[in-house]
Amino acid sequence: AQTVTQSQPEMSVQEAETVTLSCTYDTSESDYYLFWYKQPPSRQMILVIRQEAYKQQNATENRFSVNFQKAAKSFSLKISDSQLGDAAMYFCAYRSAVWTDKLIFGTGTRLQVFP
Amino acid sequence: EPEVTQTPSHQVTQMGQEVILRCVPISNHLYFYWYRQILGQKVEFLVSFYNNEISEKSEIFDDQFSVERPDGSNFTLKIRSTKLEDSAMYFCASSHTGLDRFFGPGTRLTVL
């Protein structure tokens, strides 16, 4: 069975600085998708970024980028030029590319941003 | 920007009672989901729904759970006889393609 592990329950960063959130996963599949979701306090989860496992190039979305290491089964999220609005819970998630609707989530990392 | 909405935001019920959690997915989306998060635990998949039928369900989604799309806009989760362990945050999600999920803000269910 696939699992997703986020080993950092909490992280903090100074405004304008860069922070990296870690995620590792376990799977025997070769084709899958990885996601980072952001959940601000009392708000819904928002998709931040998606990575297809067959793509070697790391996904980027404005200030958000990933470091996808397929062999190491690692999928970290880098937030550059951190802003106060980045403060949220961040969830890493996995989905098999074989037809399945199940997203498997990590336990989340709470990110605090200090001015 | 269109959003998934859920009502109520908080539901308190007595053990053994039936509850219905409501969701309005994004209007042109075709795939619908329910997830739940017990306090302090991971977000867990419950069920997916496509073309007016369940397409996948987890082992959590037993006979006490059911889903319905009663009209063109709502998507509901019914728990027939609630147990204490059903207390959780329930998230509805929808998707146009089946890949990216758009989540609602959740309904906090408290079973007493």
Side-chain angles (χ1 to χ4, degrees):
Chain A
Q2 295 86 9
T3 58
V4 176
T5 302
Q6 293 179 253
S7 57
Q8 306 155 317
E10 286 195 9
M11 292 282 285
S12 61
V13 64
Q14 206 89 30
E15 213 175 351
E17 296 295 305
T18 295
V19 64
T20 299
L21 308 184
S22 302
C23 173
T24 58
Y25 58 95
D26 190 28
T27 184
S28 58
E29 298 178 326
S30 59
D31 202 10
Y32 47 86
Y33 302 95
L34 296 163
F35 305 83
W36 278 99
Y37 280 89
K38 167 186 176 181
Q39 187 180 34
S42 303
R43 297 289 309 277
Q44 51 252 69
M45 274 188 281
I46 305 160
L47 178 65
V48 174
I49 202 162
R50 168 174 26 97
Q51 175 79 43
E52 289 88 346
Y54 65 85
K55 288 187 179 175
Q56 292 188 339
Q57 189 171 9
N58 288 323
T60 63
E61 198 69 47
N62 300 316
R63 297 182 295 108
F64 297 88
S65 61
V66 299
N67 183 4
F68 173 49
Q69 302 285 329
K70 192 171 184 180
K73 294 179 184 171
S74 168
F75 181 60
S76 59
L77 175 70
K78 185 170 89 170
I79 306 174
S80 304
D81 185 26
S82 297
Q83 300 174 0
L84 294 177
D86 294 333
M89 197 75 169
Y90 286 81
F91 293 98
C92 178
Y94 169 101
R95 198 203 115 172
S96 170
V98 173
W99 193 79
T100 175
D101 291 321
K102 189 187 297 189
L103 265 182
I104 299 169
F105 284 88
T107 48
T109 296
R110 183 170 303 282
L111 177 67
Q112 292 183 300
V113 182
F114 295 104
Chain B
E1 190 162 331
E3 289 187 336
V4 176
T5 59
Q6 290 185 242
T7 54
S9 56
H10 191 189
Q11 173 96 46
V12 181
T13 189
Q14 295 289 327
M15 194 169 58
Q17 295 296 303
E18 174 183 287
V19 294
I20 297 176
L21 310 183
R22 290 184 166 80
C23 168
V24 179
I26 294 171
S27 64
N28 66 342
H29 284 189
L30 304 173
Y31 300 81
F32 313 108
Y33 312 87
W34 284 100
Y35 287 78
R36 80 172 185 190
Q37 186 179 29
I38 295 171
L39 189 63
Q41 298 186 23
K42 293 185 180 186
V43 177
E44 302 172 290
F45 168 79
L46 290 178
V47 67
S48 59
F49 192 87
Y50 171 73
N51 202 24
N52 280 321
E53 60 183 25
I54 290 173
S55 47
E56 188 174 352
K57 60 184 180 180
S58 72
E59 56 277 4
I60 302 167
F61 194 87
D62 60 23
D63 291 345
Q64 70 158 342
F65 291 93
S66 62
V67 289
E68 199 178 33
R69 189 155 161 80
D71 52 42
S73 59
N74 289 284
F75 180 52
T76 62
L77 174 69
K78 184 194 289 187
I79 309 175
R80 255 178 277 282
S81 177
T82 49
K83 305 184 188 111
L84 295 176
E85 55 264 36
D86 294 328
S87 294
M89 197 76 168
Y90 288 81
F91 295 102
C92 173
S94 68
S95 175
H96 183 61
T97 62
L99 182 53
D100 294 340
R101 298 334 183 230
F102 292 79
F103 283 84
T107 293
R108 181 169 299 285
L109 176 65
T110 302
V111 182
L112 302 175

